[in-house]
Amino acid sequence: MIKNICDDSLCTACGACENSCNFQAIIRTKRKDDSWYMQIDDTKCKNCNRCLKVCPNNHVPSLYSPQKAYAAWSTDKEIHKNSASGGIATELYNYAVDKKMYFAGVSMDKNLEAHFELVNNKNSIEKFQNSKYTFSYMDDIYLKCKELLKKDEKILFVGLPCQIAALRNYIGENENLILIDLACHGTPSPEFLKQHVKTIEKKKNKIADNVSFRNARFNTNNFYFTLTHKNRIFYKKNSLSEDNYQIGYHKAFIYRDCCYQCRYAQRKRTGDLTIADYHGLGKVSVYNGNKESVSCVLVNSEKGKTLLNKLFENEQIEVIERPLLEPLQNEPQFNYPSKSSQEHDEFINLYQKKENFDLVANVVFKQDKFKGWVLGTTNVVNYKNKFMALLPWELKQYVKKMLRRK
Ligand SMILES: Cc1cc2nc3c(=O)[nH]c(=O)nc-3n(C[C@H](O)[C@H](O)[C@H](O)COP(=O)(O)OP(=O)(O)OC[C@H]3O[C@@H](n4cnc5c(N)ncnc54)[C@H](O)[C@@H]3O)c2cc1C
């Protein structure tokens, strides 16, 4: 017999239950979109209930109310340029290396899957940099964290809010564990990205050795989705009208069921710090600085406050305090989960029949692609962005500074 751990539509597949079971009794059950939820195989279960206790859907850990908000970015131009927003995650990793701490981050593997790794060397930082807009596998990271903490090692962990909640349940309170949650609008089944890339590879007759969701060569703000083979880009799309994965992801058509009901898309946070793209900068009080490539950092606990101070004292980051309400009001993910839509339902139902991401996306996203194309060809800002994306980063910063001065 098979038993549920939590409401299956809420299961985020964080894997805390798998890591807590000593009897290999946790199984993965497929959803319509080829993602999965966790269940218990009763024939192997010894009723220890560990999996039930650790599940962040059954036990939401106590959440932090943010105390302060900052606009922040790395003082290192290369880090700033190559990161999704202000490069705060990378600066946190640099701090961890300096303090001989372990740190966890996500990198893409050869199978186009995003996996967590726990490391303590500088060489790994680069592959963690920038956002991978797909499901990330926690694998056995919980066990690894527990083992290191037992040895009194210190760990800095950056992850999505549901993953941080699961880790907190699994480990319990621990002075040596610093947790950073990212704002998150959702993650799709990992199968969609794999299929999409395979379709392009087949068309272009090339194999991708790198996939980027916000390629830094064209400014991460422009959200260029690129595929690269031996350092040469063979696929590059930025407009929401052009790429099926970009449309599906950024319009929230392709997330897993659990993401539309996310209980962590709210103002109270799971991490000691929260980092996000700064949305709404200058909307609540005057701000005259650069608004692009700026991270929002929420300080949620004393541990978080001390850590952010250290980065500032080390001159790793620039920080400007902002009214707390500014990011809280303007970042949708600090207020409610992404909304499901008719397109989502149509997409999932057709995908269940066809099992082909692009074939289904071509049908369901047809109108959105056309609308995006019309907007793209008639929008002057779009041309300006495309032109700016071609400029080297330093020159672009200079042009922006000049424009601001006028
Ligand atoms: C799936 C996802 C959804 C997001 N949604 C939003 C949003 O709706 N609004 C918003 O303001 N910001 C969102 N972000 C955060 C944003 O993309 C930036 O990560 C954030 O601004 C921090 O930027 P940075 O320059 O400091 O770090 P980055 O250069 O983005 O550093 C990357 C960090 O993100 C981690 N990471 C990358 N991909 C994943 C993944 N798939 N799962 C877990 N961790 C990952 C890396 O390990 C590293 O710690 C999202 C990020 C992800 C990964």
Side-chain angles (χ1 to χ4, degrees):
M1 213 180 86
I2 305 295
K3 289 191 302 193
N4 266 7
I5 297 169
C6 62
D7 174 344
D8 59 44
S9 73
L10 292 178
C11 175
T12 62
C14 67
C17 50
E18 268 177 348
N19 277 247
S20 69
C21 179
N22 292 333
F23 312 104
Q24 284 80 48
I26 307 298
I27 55 165
R28 296 178 177 195
T29 307
K30 257 196 182 188
R31 288 194 180 115
K32 285 184 194 174
D33 61 359
D34 276 334
S35 70
W36 60 91
Y37 58 96
M38 307 297 196
Q39 288 190 303
I40 305 167
D41 175 351
D42 216 13
T43 59
K44 293 183 181 166
C45 178
K46 307 282 182 229
N47 293 314
C48 70
N49 288 339
R50 278 205 201 108
C51 59
L52 302 182
K53 283 185 201 145
V54 90
C55 171
N57 284 322
N58 296 335
H59 300 278
V60 177
S62 60
L63 302 176
Y64 300 110
S65 297
Q67 298 156 8
K68 298 230 181 238
Y70 296 90
W73 57 91
S74 166
T75 51
D76 180 315
K77 277 189 181 163
E78 275 304 298
I79 292 178
H80 193 181
K81 180 183 150 191
N82 290 317
S83 301
S85 59
I88 305 303
T90 300
E91 289 297 358
L92 287 165
Y93 292 146
N94 279 333
Y95 175 81
V97 171
D98 204 38
K99 295 289 165 209
K100 303 207 177 338
M101 294 166 77
Y102 280 80
F103 54 97
V106 169
S107 65
M108 296 298 292
D109 72 7
K110 282 187 186 144
N111 301 320
L112 299 165
E113 288 176 355
H115 288 265
F116 268 90
E117 285 178 64
L118 190 56
V119 294
N120 63 353
N121 61 75
K122 209 171 170 63
N123 302 340
S124 297
I125 296 181
E126 203 180 319
K127 62 183 176 186
F128 293 165
Q129 209 168 4
N130 215 334
S131 302
K132 292 90 189 169
Y133 291 131
T134 182
F135 172 82
S136 48
Y137 293 75
M138 295 281 272
D139 302 314
D140 59 353
I141 200 96
Y142 302 90
L143 286 166
K144 285 180 177 154
C145 285
K146 196 170 224 171
E147 286 309 310
L148 284 174
L149 291 168
K150 263 190 209 159
K151 292 179 192 157
D152 257 352
E153 298 285 358
K154 290 192 167 69
I155 301 174
L156 183 138
F157 198 105
V158 186
L160 304 179
C162 54
Q163 296 167 334
I164 298 295
L167 189 64
R168 281 182 60 188
N169 276 357
Y170 187 90
I171 301 286
E173 288 308 312
N174 190 306
E175 257 316 292
N176 288 340
L177 180 61
I178 302 185
L179 299 167
I180 321 292
D181 70 83
L182 298 162
C184 175
H185 48 311
T187 55
S189 162
E191 194 55 33
F192 296 165
L193 178 68
K194 285 192 213 176
Q195 289 187 13
H196 182 52
V197 174
K198 293 264 172 316
T199 304
I200 301 166
E201 286 178 335
K202 213 166 154 192
K203 250 191 214 163
K204 303 272 179 188
N205 200 18
K206 285 213 165 69
I207 299 291
D209 49 31
N210 179 278
V211 48
S212 177
F213 301 82
R214 295 173 75 160
N215 194 318
R217 263 162 76 179
F218 314 105
N219 189 340
T220 50
N221 280 322
N222 290 317
F223 289 83
Y224 270 93
F225 178 80
T226 61
L227 300 180
T228 309
H229 178 73
K230 292 191 179 159
N231 276 330
R232 286 195 162 204
I233 293 173
F234 66 91
Y235 182 84
K236 168 184 152 210
K237 299 282 177 198
N238 82 320
S239 157
L240 283 181
S241 65
E242 289 173 336
D243 181 78
N244 283 336
Y245 193 81
Q246 292 270 75
I247 296 171
Y249 187 79
H250 292 289
K251 294 204 163 187
F253 294 159
I254 58 170
Y255 301 155
R256 297 169 302 148
D257 282 349
C258 53
C259 299
Y260 300 109
Q261 308 169 68
C262 176
R263 46 185 61 188
Y264 302 106
Q266 57 150 306
R267 294 188 178 186
K268 289 193 172 182
R269 310 302 304 169
T270 54
D272 297 295
L273 292 176
T274 297
I275 46 178
D277 297 351
Y278 205 123
H279 294 130
L281 186 51
K283 280 201 171 167
V284 170
S285 75
V286 180
Y287 176 85
N288 291 322
N290 180 22
K291 289 186 183 168
E292 279 184 6
S293 303
V294 174
S295 292
C296 159
V297 183
L298 300 180
V299 170
N300 308 326
S301 74
E302 278 306 304
K303 231 194 252 184
K305 184 175 159 189
T306 311
L307 178 60
L308 194 71
N309 275 342
K310 292 267 192 262
L311 295 197
F312 180 64
E313 280 164 21
N314 294 347
E315 297 182 359
Q316 289 178 257
I317 58 167
E318 202 65 74
V319 287
I320 297 175
E321 188 173 350
R322 301 297 303 161
L324 185 54
L325 267 184
E326 189 171 73
L328 293 186
Q329 280 175 348
N330 288 294
E331 171 55 57
Q333 310 314 320
F334 295 158
N335 292 285
Y336 42 78
S338 292
K339 292 189 172 68
S340 188
S341 56
Q342 198 183 331
E343 283 91 340
H344 167 73
D345 297 344
E346 277 173 26
F347 180 88
I348 297 300
N349 288 335
L350 199 55
Y351 179 81
Q352 198 185 9
K353 291 182 197 133
K354 306 282 183 195
E355 294 186 347
N356 181 323
F357 176 83
D358 281 282
L359 194 145
V360 176
N362 283 337
V363 175
V364 180
F365 306 162
K366 207 172 179 175
Q367 256 191 355
D368 288 271
K369 278 172 123 170
F370 180 69
K371 268 192 226 156
W373 177 80
V374 172
L375 278 177
T377 47
T378 53
N379 188 351
V380 181
V381 177
N382 209 21
Y383 289 110
K384 190 199 101 193
N385 285 345
K386 282 195 174 176
F387 170 73
M388 291 292 271
L390 296 173
L391 298 181
W393 197 74
E394 283 80 6
L395 184 58
K396 198 157 29 212
Q397 298 309 313
Y398 177 75
V399 172
K400 279 182 194 160
K401 211 171 170 180
M402 288 298 127
L403 288 175
R404 272 203 307 276
R405 267 193 201 164
K406 278 189 174 176

PDB file of all heavy atoms in Angstrom, residues 17-26 44-46 48 50-51 143 170:
ATOM      1  N   CYS A  17      12.149  14.242   3.284  1.00  0.00           N
ATOM      2  CA  CYS A  17      11.621  12.947   3.747  1.00  0.00           C
ATOM      3  C   CYS A  17      12.542  11.799   3.319  1.00  0.00           C
ATOM      4  O   CYS A  17      12.872  10.912   4.117  1.00  0.00           O
ATOM      5  CB  CYS A  17      10.203  12.731   3.227  1.00  0.00           C
ATOM      6  SG  CYS A  17      10.028  13.002   1.456  1.00  0.00           S
ATOM      7  N   GLU A  18      13.012  11.856   2.065  1.00  0.00           N
ATOM      8  CA  GLU A  18      13.931  10.805   1.560  1.00  0.00           C
ATOM      9  C   GLU A  18      15.185  10.737   2.423  1.00  0.00           C
ATOM     10  O   GLU A  18      15.681   9.667   2.757  1.00  0.00           O
ATOM     11  CB  GLU A  18      14.382  11.156   0.126  1.00  0.00           C
ATOM     12  CG  GLU A  18      13.535  10.577  -0.979  1.00  0.00           C
ATOM     13  CD  GLU A  18      14.018  11.032  -2.348  1.00  0.00           C
ATOM     14  OE1 GLU A  18      14.844  11.959  -2.436  1.00  0.00           O
ATOM     15  OE2 GLU A  18      13.545  10.456  -3.339  1.00  0.00           O
ATOM     16  N   ASN A  19      15.698  11.936   2.759  1.00  0.00           N
ATOM     17  CA  ASN A  19      16.935  11.996   3.547  1.00  0.00           C
ATOM     18  C   ASN A  19      16.733  11.550   4.989  1.00  0.00           C
ATOM     19  O   ASN A  19      17.683  11.194   5.672  1.00  0.00           O
ATOM     20  CB  ASN A  19      17.495  13.421   3.548  1.00  0.00           C
ATOM     21  CG  ASN A  19      18.313  13.744   2.309  1.00  0.00           C
ATOM     22  OD1 ASN A  19      19.528  13.950   2.368  1.00  0.00           O
ATOM     23  ND2 ASN A  19      17.673  13.782   1.158  1.00  0.00           N
ATOM     24  N   SER A  20      15.477  11.594   5.461  1.00  0.00           N
ATOM     25  CA  SER A  20      15.253  11.253   6.873  1.00  0.00           C
ATOM     26  C   SER A  20      14.875   9.780   7.065  1.00  0.00           C
ATOM     27  O   SER A  20      14.860   9.279   8.178  1.00  0.00           O
ATOM     28  CB  SER A  20      14.160  12.145   7.463  1.00  0.00           C
ATOM     29  OG  SER A  20      12.925  11.795   6.881  1.00  0.00           O
ATOM     30  N   CYS A  21      14.576   9.091   5.966  1.00  0.00           N
ATOM     31  CA  CYS A  21      14.117   7.702   6.092  1.00  0.00           C
ATOM     32  C   CYS A  21      15.290   6.717   6.076  1.00  0.00           C
ATOM     33  O   CYS A  21      16.107   6.731   5.163  1.00  0.00           O
ATOM     34  CB  CYS A  21      13.160   7.376   4.936  1.00  0.00           C
ATOM     35  SG  CYS A  21      12.560   5.678   5.006  1.00  0.00           S
ATOM     36  N   ASN A  22      15.342   5.872   7.093  1.00  0.00           N
ATOM     37  CA  ASN A  22      16.425   4.873   7.165  1.00  0.00           C
ATOM     38  C   ASN A  22      16.054   3.562   6.484  1.00  0.00           C
ATOM     39  O   ASN A  22      16.816   2.606   6.500  1.00  0.00           O
ATOM     40  CB  ASN A  22      16.762   4.569   8.637  1.00  0.00           C
ATOM     41  CG  ASN A  22      17.390   5.772   9.298  1.00  0.00           C
ATOM     42  OD1 ASN A  22      18.010   6.590   8.623  1.00  0.00           O
ATOM     43  ND2 ASN A  22      17.203   5.903  10.605  1.00  0.00           N
ATOM     44  N   PHE A  23      14.844   3.493   5.933  1.00  0.00           N
ATOM     45  CA  PHE A  23      14.352   2.197   5.438  1.00  0.00           C
ATOM     46  C   PHE A  23      14.033   2.203   3.942  1.00  0.00           C
ATOM     47  O   PHE A  23      13.329   1.332   3.448  1.00  0.00           O
ATOM     48  CB  PHE A  23      13.107   1.793   6.252  1.00  0.00           C
ATOM     49  CG  PHE A  23      13.298   1.941   7.723  1.00  0.00           C
ATOM     50  CD1 PHE A  23      12.726   2.997   8.426  1.00  0.00           C
ATOM     51  CD2 PHE A  23      14.107   1.036   8.411  1.00  0.00           C
ATOM     52  CE1 PHE A  23      12.933   3.150   9.781  1.00  0.00           C
ATOM     53  CE2 PHE A  23      14.322   1.182   9.783  1.00  0.00           C
ATOM     54  CZ  PHE A  23      13.738   2.250  10.463  1.00  0.00           C
ATOM     55  N   GLN A  24      14.501   3.218   3.246  1.00  0.00           N
ATOM     56  CA  GLN A  24      14.226   3.376   1.799  1.00  0.00           C
ATOM     57  C   GLN A  24      12.731   3.216   1.482  1.00  0.00           C
ATOM     58  O   GLN A  24      12.343   2.592   0.492  1.00  0.00           O
ATOM     59  CB  GLN A  24      15.029   2.380   0.946  1.00  0.00           C
ATOM     60  CG  GLN A  24      16.496   2.714   0.759  1.00  0.00           C
ATOM     61  CD  GLN A  24      17.327   2.306   1.960  1.00  0.00           C
ATOM     62  OE1 GLN A  24      17.192   1.192   2.439  1.00  0.00           O
ATOM     63  NE2 GLN A  24      18.140   3.216   2.477  1.00  0.00           N
ATOM     64  N   ALA A  25      11.908   3.786   2.365  1.00  0.00           N
ATOM     65  CA  ALA A  25      10.461   3.619   2.184  1.00  0.00           C
ATOM     66  C   ALA A  25       9.820   4.777   1.416  1.00  0.00           C
ATOM     67  O   ALA A  25       8.611   4.775   1.198  1.00  0.00           O
ATOM     68  CB  ALA A  25       9.800   3.476   3.561  1.00  0.00           C
ATOM     69  N   ILE A  26      10.616   5.777   1.022  1.00  0.00           N
ATOM     70  CA  ILE A  26      10.040   6.928   0.317  1.00  0.00           C
ATOM     71  C   ILE A  26      10.152   6.702  -1.189  1.00  0.00           C
ATOM     72  O   ILE A  26      11.231   6.394  -1.712  1.00  0.00           O
ATOM     73  CB  ILE A  26      10.764   8.247   0.699  1.00  0.00           C
ATOM     74  CG1 ILE A  26      10.811   8.436   2.216  1.00  0.00           C
ATOM     75  CG2 ILE A  26      10.098   9.449   0.010  1.00  0.00           C
ATOM     76  CD1 ILE A  26       9.466   8.556   2.908  1.00  0.00           C
ATOM     77  N   LYS A  44       7.607  -1.102   3.319  1.00  0.00           N
ATOM     78  CA  LYS A  44       8.950  -0.887   3.883  1.00  0.00           C
ATOM     79  C   LYS A  44       8.929   0.013   5.118  1.00  0.00           C
ATOM     80  O   LYS A  44       9.911   0.100   5.851  1.00  0.00           O
ATOM     81  CB  LYS A  44       9.846  -0.232   2.829  1.00  0.00           C
ATOM     82  CG  LYS A  44      10.148  -1.129   1.640  1.00  0.00           C
ATOM     83  CD  LYS A  44      11.091  -0.410   0.696  1.00  0.00           C
ATOM     84  CE  LYS A  44      11.393  -1.290  -0.507  1.00  0.00           C
ATOM     85  NZ  LYS A  44      12.022  -0.526  -1.570  1.00  0.00           N
ATOM     86  N   CYS A  45       7.817   0.699   5.316  1.00  0.00           N
ATOM     87  CA  CYS A  45       7.729   1.707   6.379  1.00  0.00           C
ATOM     88  C   CYS A  45       7.697   1.065   7.774  1.00  0.00           C
ATOM     89  O   CYS A  45       6.993   0.077   7.993  1.00  0.00           O
ATOM     90  CB  CYS A  45       6.462   2.546   6.173  1.00  0.00           C
ATOM     91  SG  CYS A  45       6.202   3.788   7.433  1.00  0.00           S
ATOM     92  N   LYS A  46       8.458   1.648   8.713  1.00  0.00           N
ATOM     93  CA  LYS A  46       8.470   1.135  10.095  1.00  0.00           C
ATOM     94  C   LYS A  46       7.742   2.094  11.045  1.00  0.00           C
ATOM     95  O   LYS A  46       7.940   2.043  12.259  1.00  0.00           O
ATOM     96  CB  LYS A  46       9.918   0.953  10.592  1.00  0.00           C
ATOM     97  CG  LYS A  46      10.798   0.114   9.694  1.00  0.00           C
ATOM     98  CD  LYS A  46      10.522  -1.372   9.855  1.00  0.00           C
ATOM     99  CE  LYS A  46      11.458  -2.184   8.974  1.00  0.00           C
ATOM    100  NZ  LYS A  46      10.788  -3.181   8.172  1.00  0.00           N
ATOM    101  N   CYS A  48       8.177   5.177  11.871  1.00  0.00           N
ATOM    102  CA  CYS A  48       8.952   6.046  12.770  1.00  0.00           C
ATOM    103  C   CYS A  48       8.465   7.495  12.689  1.00  0.00           C
ATOM    104  O   CYS A  48       8.782   8.309  13.555  1.00  0.00           O
ATOM    105  CB  CYS A  48      10.440   5.971  12.458  1.00  0.00           C
ATOM    106  SG  CYS A  48      10.874   6.745  10.883  1.00  0.00           S
ATOM    107  N   ARG A  50       9.406   9.922  10.949  1.00  0.00           N
ATOM    108  CA  ARG A  50      10.407  10.976  10.708  1.00  0.00           C
ATOM    109  C   ARG A  50      10.054  11.794   9.475  1.00  0.00           C
ATOM    110  O   ARG A  50      10.186  12.997   9.451  1.00  0.00           O
ATOM    111  CB  ARG A  50      11.791  10.350  10.497  1.00  0.00           C
ATOM    112  CG  ARG A  50      12.485  10.014  11.776  1.00  0.00           C
ATOM    113  CD  ARG A  50      14.006  10.007  11.536  1.00  0.00           C
ATOM    114  NE  ARG A  50      14.617   9.235  12.582  1.00  0.00           N
ATOM    115  CZ  ARG A  50      15.142   8.037  12.425  1.00  0.00           C
ATOM    116  NH1 ARG A  50      15.185   7.487  11.244  1.00  0.00           N
ATOM    117  NH2 ARG A  50      15.647   7.397  13.440  1.00  0.00           N
ATOM    118  N   CYS A  51       9.617  11.096   8.420  1.00  0.00           N
ATOM    119  CA  CYS A  51       9.310  11.796   7.165  1.00  0.00           C
ATOM    120  C   CYS A  51       8.174  12.795   7.349  1.00  0.00           C
ATOM    121  O   CYS A  51       8.186  13.890   6.794  1.00  0.00           O
ATOM    122  CB  CYS A  51       8.979  10.788   6.071  1.00  0.00           C
ATOM    123  SG  CYS A  51       7.578   9.737   6.450  1.00  0.00           S
ATOM    124  N   LEU A 143      21.749  15.276   4.533  1.00  0.00           N
ATOM    125  CA  LEU A 143      22.646  14.380   5.278  1.00  0.00           C
ATOM    126  C   LEU A 143      24.044  14.974   5.362  1.00  0.00           C
ATOM    127  O   LEU A 143      24.688  14.948   6.411  1.00  0.00           O
ATOM    128  CB  LEU A 143      22.730  13.008   4.574  1.00  0.00           C
ATOM    129  CG  LEU A 143      21.512  12.116   4.709  1.00  0.00           C
ATOM    130  CD1 LEU A 143      21.558  10.973   3.708  1.00  0.00           C
ATOM    131  CD2 LEU A 143      21.442  11.555   6.126  1.00  0.00           C
ATOM    132  N   TYR A 170      14.819  19.791   9.076  1.00  0.00           N
ATOM    133  CA  TYR A 170      15.688  18.603   9.128  1.00  0.00           C
ATOM    134  C   TYR A 170      16.792  18.772  10.168  1.00  0.00           C
ATOM    135  O   TYR A 170      17.086  17.853  10.928  1.00  0.00           O
ATOM    136  CB  TYR A 170      16.303  18.369   7.741  1.00  0.00           C
ATOM    137  CG  TYR A 170      17.085  17.091   7.630  1.00  0.00           C
ATOM    138  CD1 TYR A 170      16.462  15.903   7.237  1.00  0.00           C
ATOM    139  CD2 TYR A 170      18.443  17.059   7.914  1.00  0.00           C
ATOM    140  CE1 TYR A 170      17.171  14.733   7.133  1.00  0.00           C
ATOM    141  CE2 TYR A 170      19.163  15.885   7.814  1.00  0.00           C
ATOM    142  CZ  TYR A 170      18.523  14.720   7.423  1.00  0.00           C
ATOM    143  OH  TYR A 170      19.232  13.556   7.331  1.00  0.00           O
TER     144      TYR A 170
END
